[in-house]
Amino acid sequence: MKKWLNYLPTIFILSIVLSLVFYSSQGSTVQMNYTQFEKIVDEVDFKKSSMTISSTVIHLEGTYEQNSKTVGYKVIVPRTEKNIEKLEKSLQRNGGKLTVEDPNQGSVWISILSQIIPFLIIAVFFYFMFAKMGGGGNNKAFEFAKSKARVESNVKVRFKDVAGCEEEKEEVKEIIDYLRSPKKFTDMGAHIPKGILMVGPPGTGKTLLAKAVAGEANVPFFSISGSDFVEMFVGTGASRVRDMFKTAQKSAPCIIFIDEIDAVGRQRGAGMGGGNDEREQTLNQLLVEMDGMTDNAGIVVIAATNRPDVLDPALLRSGRFDRRVTVSLPDIKGREAILHVHARNKKLASDVSLANLAKRTPGFSGADLANVLNEGAILAVRKNEAKVTMTDLDEAIDRVMMGPAKKSKKYTEKDKILVAYHEAGHAVIGLKLEDADMVQKVTIIPRGDAGGYNLMTPREEKYFHRKSEFIAQITGLLGGRTAEEIQFGEISAGAVNDIEKLTEIAKNMVRVYGMSSLGPIQYADPQGNVFLGRDYTKGSDYSAGVAAEIDKEVRAIVDECHENCRKILTENKDLLDLIANNLYEHETLTNEEITNLMNYGQLTDPNVETSEEEEKPEQEVVQVPEIPETSTGVDQKDLDDAFNELTKKKD
């Protein structure tokens, strides 16, 4: 039936064309009255005529020849014996053919049907068109409560396609064994968890891991988003939950995957100004289906969220989501494995080291790493390269973290040297402070909202951070601002992002981690997001006096780090000037080049021998002139003279 409906528009168009042809063919026929026919009946030669005699009139139609042209005619003549005799003679004169039709042979019905059929075709066409667009109404009303879950019967994803989460794979292997052979579990008296809640930051592979479970078990995979349940009409979501589990029971054993379950599984009665009836009814139905009066044997529910703190407690109790699997950000080993998975279809050059790439991407999720390789491939295509090089991937990391380089944005000479000293300050702290992060790359090319960019990675990845490491992070973030103070005697607004980060670290040290003289007392909820209806009206956990003490402790930590930062930069002023000069000249320095500047005072290692072909003429490094200091800082006139001298040297 549906295939026939697809041809309906074509049939409609053909009927219109045929009708037009029919009526156009009739357009050459002359409709005469009796008087006009009387004038020509003795003057023209009739070729072919048809005569239908009824009780009162005679219907004539046919063709005649006049002035060497064939003309069609139609006429109605009164029925008399005289007219019948006259017409028989006239129409058959000079070889004309006359056909007498019987008026009782159904020609009337044919005439009526020929006029009705086009209108019937048009009516049927519009009826089915409206029904297909939703005008049917009744059918759509029943489909509105149907589940929107998408079903994949043959999932191709396997565990080999999921990297960087080996422990998480171990947690879900029992699910695979149960779906493959549930009898050995029931014989032992064990029952598999009815639900698995996957928790973790965005992009860590929760959905991919759920698909891999279905692929390894070779069972149908029902996937739906939490927002697909919630509609404007109360009760729709509950109906869709019932329909989803009813459909899944027919395909059991199977997996139902609910992505972003916090959209429908939020705590009941926690909304501002009252609850959400539709969402709460949907949640109630989900609770019943998972562990209620019905038995859904063979159905495993896997849900994913990055906000487990807002879920309803009834959803997390045993018997519903029995097991929680935390999918964390991958470590260095996991990142390398993820890069190998996503590099399968990439043409990589021989200089590409995925191990080094993994070291440079701490804190990246699986989705971020896939994006890095994809951006590198796009850059290689843009440059018309045969393979993706390490330079392309290096630029791809910067693009993912900070955005594309704004090479068209030009600094003034004053701004350029200011940014160079700012970034050099960060680099010196990273080199000289033991617990600070390692400097991987420094550039003064603008990216995103940042005037410069300093890529620093931890010396080793840790799960727990010591107080000294937090102090070192704050000191490193103060390096840029402090370098501006030492060199120019004034500060710029370029450190706004650094200040935001170090303030957050200092507050957490005092309020969350208990790393201050206030002792091991937590004065803040460690979860950062506010859940309206539960946290919005929640009062402070401490008094105004304690708040003042917290402010003092935060200020003391930052002041101590500031003084230490100033001391390190002052003691290493020559290294600060050297890095700033080279940054001003070359705009970008790598980890190797910065290390060579610290050890040998130049960008290259003098102990590494190079062939004559590889030797390049040494570039002159523009030295930043000394700026005289006064007791009150730097005079504006001296600053202008110094920059004028610098510009002349560069020219």
Side-chain angles (χ1 to χ4, degrees):
M1 183 64 178
K2 290 184 178 179
K3 291 184 178 180
W4 184 84
L5 290 177
N6 293 333
Y7 294 108
L8 187 61
T10 306
I11 296 173
F12 174 72
I13 294 173
L14 287 176
S15 64
I16 296 296
V17 172
L18 291 175
S19 299
L20 292 175
V21 171
F22 175 74
Y23 284 112
S24 63
S25 65
Q26 291 181 340
S28 60
T29 300
V30 178
Q31 185 74 37
M32 298 181 179
N33 56 34
Y34 181 60
T35 304
Q36 293 173 332
F37 183 72
E38 282 289 328
K39 293 179 179 179
I40 67 169
V41 68
D42 295 326
E43 297 177 359
V44 300
D45 295 330
F46 293 93
K47 296 298 182 183
K48 187 176 181 180
S49 302
S50 173
M51 183 170 63
T52 303
I53 303 174
S54 62
S55 59
T56 57
V57 294
I58 303 172
H59 294 272
L60 289 176
E61 61 178 315
T63 58
Y64 63 86
E65 188 171 339
Q66 185 179 29
N67 298 329
S68 301
K69 293 182 180 181
T70 301
V71 181
Y73 74 95
K74 278 187 176 183
V75 65
I76 299 175
V77 179
R79 177 179 175 177
T80 62
E81 293 297 329
K82 182 179 178 180
N83 283 343
I84 293 175
E85 293 178 1
K86 181 179 179 181
L87 289 174
E88 288 178 347
K89 292 179 181 180
S90 299
L91 296 176
Q92 297 184 42
R93 185 177 62 242
N94 296 330
K97 295 182 179 180
L98 174 64
T99 303
V100 180
E101 301 287 347
D102 186 357
N104 299 319
Q105 289 185 349
S107 59
V108 177
W109 290 106
I110 296 174
S111 177
I112 294 173
L113 289 176
S114 64
Q115 296 178 8
I116 294 177
I117 285 176
F119 294 100
L120 288 176
I121 293 176
I122 295 173
V124 171
F125 172 77
F126 282 107
Y127 172 77
F128 281 109
M129 288 298 293
F130 278 112
K132 196 171 183 179
M133 290 189 297
N138 292 333
N139 293 334
K140 295 296 179 181
F142 288 109
E143 293 179 4
F144 191 68
K146 294 287 185 181
S147 170
K148 293 186 177 181
R150 294 164 292 278
V151 186
E152 293 184 50
S153 300
N154 188 16
V155 180
K156 302 294 184 181
V157 182
R158 297 292 186 269
F159 273 170
K160 65 181 181 180
D161 302 315
V162 184
C165 51
E166 300 304 320
E167 293 80 6
E168 291 79 357
K169 291 179 186 178
E170 293 293 331
E171 287 293 317
V172 296
K173 278 187 176 179
E174 292 90 347
I175 304 297
I176 299 173
D177 294 338
Y178 169 73
L179 292 172
R180 285 178 176 173
S181 53
K183 189 175 183 301
K184 66 180 182 180
F185 287 89
T186 56
D187 291 344
M188 189 62 65
H191 63 85
I192 208 66
K194 293 187 177 181
I196 297 178
L197 181 65
M198 292 188 177
V199 180
T204 50
K206 299 183 289 295
T207 303
L208 191 64
L209 183 59
K211 268 193 172 183
V213 173
E216 291 287 345
N218 195 23
V219 296
F221 183 74
F222 292 79
S223 60
I224 192 170
S225 172
S227 60
D228 288 337
F229 292 113
V230 182
E231 293 285 352
M232 179 177 66
F233 304 106
V234 176
T236 303
S239 299
R240 290 179 178 176
V241 171
R242 287 191 295 270
D243 184 70
M244 180 179 66
F245 276 88
K246 182 179 178 181
T247 305
Q249 284 177 351
K250 299 176 183 178
S251 304
C254 63
I255 289 176
I256 294 178
F257 177 70
I258 306 175
D259 198 10
E260 304 296 343
I261 194 173
D262 53 276
V264 69
R266 294 198 171 203
Q267 293 183 18
R268 290 167 289 183
M272 295 292 291
N276 186 313
D277 288 339
E278 163 63 358
R279 186 174 66 232
E280 291 182 6
Q281 285 196 22
T282 306
L283 174 58
N284 291 338
Q285 187 63 44
L286 182 62
L287 296 175
V288 172
E289 293 290 344
M290 290 190 68
D291 186 27
M293 293 175 289
T294 58
D295 183 19
N296 293 313
I299 300 177
V300 177
V301 181
I302 300 178
T305 182
N306 49 24
R307 290 295 309 275
D309 55 294
V310 304
L311 296 180
D312 194 276
L315 197 62
L316 303 177
R317 75 158 175 85
S318 299
R320 291 194 174 114
F321 284 105
D322 303 90
R323 183 174 298 179
R324 177 184 295 194
V325 177
T326 301
V327 186
S328 306
L329 292 171
D331 56 10
I332 183 171
K333 183 179 178 181
R335 291 196 298 274
E336 184 177 356
I338 292 172
L339 289 170
H340 278 288
V341 170
H342 292 291
R344 291 173 183 171
N345 62 338
K346 304 289 190 303
K347 296 180 180 179
L348 302 181
S350 58
D351 66 330
V352 173
S353 173
L354 297 182
N356 291 338
L357 205 63
K359 292 179 182 178
R360 294 190 50 196
T361 51
F364 276 45
S365 66
D368 294 331
L369 295 172
N371 195 21
V372 167
L373 290 176
N374 185 59
E375 287 287 347
I378 292 174
L379 290 172
V381 172
R382 187 180 298 175
K383 297 177 184 177
N384 295 321
E385 298 173 342
K387 293 184 178 181
V388 182
T389 64
M390 197 66 185
T391 304
D392 298 327
L393 295 177
D394 179 73
E395 173 65 18
I397 293 175
D398 296 340
R399 291 171 70 92
V400 171
M401 294 182 67
M402 302 292 295
K406 297 182 178 180
K407 298 180 179 179
S408 61
K409 184 177 180 180
K410 299 299 182 182
Y411 282 123
T412 64
E413 294 298 325
K414 292 182 180 180
D415 289 340
K416 188 174 181 180
I417 192 61
L418 179 70
V419 174
Y421 266 96
H422 181 100
E423 300 302 333
H426 289 303
V428 171
I429 297 298
L431 292 171
K432 294 299 181 178
L433 193 59
E434 181 180 356
D435 292 321
D437 294 340
M438 294 178 59
V439 180
Q440 295 290 345
K441 180 181 179 181
V442 182
T443 179
I444 58 174
I445 298 175
R447 285 184 181 273
D449 295 331
Y453 171 46
N454 199 319
L455 177 60
M456 304 179 73
T457 60
R459 300 179 187 273
E460 58 179 344
E461 296 187 27
K462 299 179 179 179
Y463 288 103
F464 303 101
H465 294 278
R466 294 175 286 118
K467 180 180 178 180
S468 58
E469 293 171 347
F470 286 126
I471 294 293
Q473 287 184 21
I474 296 174
T475 306
L477 290 169
L478 286 167
R481 175 189 169 98
T482 307
E484 295 177 19
E485 294 175 356
I486 294 174
Q487 182 64 25
F488 304 112
E490 62 177 353
I491 56 177
S492 69
V496 59
N497 190 40
D498 298 332
I499 295 174
E500 179 183 355
K501 291 180 179 178
L502 68 90
T503 303
E504 184 66 23
I505 295 173
K507 284 184 176 181
N508 286 336
M509 289 177 64
V510 177
R511 300 171 60 194
V512 179
Y513 306 129
M515 295 179 178
S516 69
S517 61
L518 296 180
I521 302 176
Q522 191 174 90
Y523 295 103
D525 193 346
Q527 61 192 27
N529 297 318
V530 175
F531 181 32
L532 293 179
R534 184 193 65 189
D535 302 332
Y536 186 75
T537 58
K538 186 178 179 180
S540 176
D541 292 334
Y542 46 86
S543 64
V546 173
E549 293 293 329
I550 291 173
D551 291 341
K552 289 181 182 179
E553 291 294 328
V554 172
R555 184 181 297 275
I557 291 174
V558 176
D559 289 344
E560 179 185 352
C561 294
H562 191 192
E563 290 300 321
N564 189 29
C565 181
R566 178 182 289 275
K567 179 182 177 182
I568 294 173
L569 292 180
T570 303
E571 292 175 353
N572 297 277
K573 182 64 165 58
D574 294 338
L575 179 60
L576 177 66
D577 293 335
L578 183 63
I579 295 176
N581 292 340
N582 281 273
L583 263 179
Y584 179 86
E585 181 68 18
H586 301 287
E587 294 188 339
T588 300
L589 299 178
T590 63
N591 172 270
E592 184 180 359
E593 291 172 338
I594 294 173
T595 304
N596 290 335
L597 286 175
M598 182 178 65
N599 295 332
Y600 311 112
Q602 61 184 39
L603 294 176
T604 57
D605 187 351
N607 299 323
V608 178
E609 296 182 358
T610 57
S611 61
E612 294 182 0
E613 292 80 2
E614 294 176 343
E615 289 181 355
K616 297 180 181 179
E618 185 178 352
Q619 296 182 354
E620 179 184 0
V621 177
V622 179
Q623 297 292 332
V624 179
E626 293 293 333
I627 301 176
E629 296 185 359
T630 64
S631 58
T632 59
V634 180
D635 292 331
Q636 184 62 38
K637 183 177 181 302
D638 295 333
L639 187 62
D640 293 337
D641 293 341
F643 279 112
N644 292 333
E645 183 180 350
L646 174 64
T647 306
K648 291 178 182 178
K649 285 187 176 183
K650 185 180 178 183
D651 296 337

